[in-house]
Amino acid sequence: MSNNRLIMIVIDALRFDTACSHMGFIQHLVEQGKMARYEVKSEVPSLSRPLYETILTGTPPIVHGIVGNSVVRLSTQESLFHLARRSGKTTAAAAYYWVSELYNHAPFRHRMDRIQLDQDAPIENGLFYFEDHYPDSHLFAEAEWLVSEKNPDFLYIHPMNVDDDGHKFTADSVEYRNRVLATDALLALTLPKWLDAGYDIIVTADHGMTNDGNHGGNTTSDRHVPLFIASSKVKPVIHDQIISQLQIAPLACYLLGIDPSEAMAPLIISGLVD
């Protein structure tokens, strides 16, 4: 029985193939009938800031206007944070500072905006980092604090170390693959507790990473990312359907039990439980 509460984890630059081959704990949940697996084709350009906005608003870059990483302004769209708050739900994020710039304040003020608690803003409680090598272990500890102390209905978690190692060493490197293993280990420490607390879980990525150590283009390595879902509202099997990244926001609305925005595409992915 879903409690209409959701934790969304967006692992920056996690390729679909590497997720399938190196996330042993997540694959265990899939094999044990606890989690569904899909393959997602991201929007282009396959860059971070545009795709954060796409994931959280369900709109493509041509609509939301965040067409590159250098576009620094507040979102003009209705995000999951806006929709959740309007529906009376509480929101939180442990994420890269670009997320704060999209939904709470732009530009990011490093001394003032790192810790944002009990705000009258789309993200009520936010802990934001601004170094790409900021340890994922610290970020997940902060996410656990938000769950324990703020008890949000919608929590967004965004670790960066997979992307950081991909840029430094390329996707075809020991370092990249080992970082994915390390991220999976962090999920193993946190997901069981959050599932026991009644949260639905989404694990996905904004974009992939190429063997050149970059992303932004139109290749499978750039665009194909995983989507893992743990919810009584989704059949916990491996789904062959490759779905659009535009489906993630309406899916999150479905799991939260809130109405999607008018700009979002209809939810048409397979495996939903009526």
Side-chain angles (χ1 to χ4, degrees), residues 1 61 110-111 154 230:
M1 183 72 178
H110 290 69
R111 295 184 180 181
F154 175 53

Side-chain angles (χ1 to χ4, degrees), residues 5-27:
R5 304 173 79 214
L6 175 64
I7 294 176
M8 176 186 288
I9 303 163
V10 176
I11 302 170
D12 208 288
L14 176 63
R15 285 169 45 149
F16 176 76
D17 56 354
T18 312
C20 293
S21 62
H22 281 70
M23 300 192 85
F25 173 70
I26 292 293
Q27 183 59 33

Side-chain angles (χ1 to χ4, degrees), residues 77-150:
Q77 305 297 306
E78 292 184 300
S79 74
L80 293 173
F81 298 114
H82 293 88
L83 296 170
R85 290 218 61 192
R86 189 177 305 149
S87 298
K89 293 183 178 293
T90 54
T91 62
Y96 195 54
Y97 75 102
W98 289 359
V99 176
S100 175
E101 287 183 325
L102 282 168
Y103 307 111
N104 274 18
H105 186 273
F108 187 81
R109 301 163 297 183
H110 290 69
R111 295 184 180 181
M112 298 177 63
D113 293 342
R114 163 107 171 88
I115 299 172
Q116 302 178 40
L117 301 178
D118 304 313
Q119 300 293 297
D120 182 17
I123 305 172
E124 292 175 272
N125 293 288
L127 301 175
F128 299 102
Y129 63 97
F130 47 84
E131 301 283 358
D132 291 13
H133 59 272
Y134 185 76
D136 287 353
S137 58
H138 292 39
L139 183 74
F140 274 90
E142 290 166 354
E144 288 197 80
W145 184 88
L146 286 168
V147 171
S148 173
E149 299 302 317
K150 297 300 181 180

Side-chain angles (χ1 to χ4, degrees), residues 20-21 63 92 109 116 162 185 206 244 259:
C20 293
S21 62
V63 172
R109 301 163 297 183
Q116 302 178 40
V162 171
D206 49 350
S244 166
D259 292 331

Side-chain angles (χ1 to χ4, degrees), residues 38 70 73 83 102 113 118 138 147 153 192 212 257 262 266 272:
Y38 297 82
S70 61
R73 61 163 171 78
L83 296 170
L102 282 168
D113 293 342
D118 304 313
H138 292 39
V147 171
D153 296 308
D212 295 331
E262 292 183 0
L272 302 183

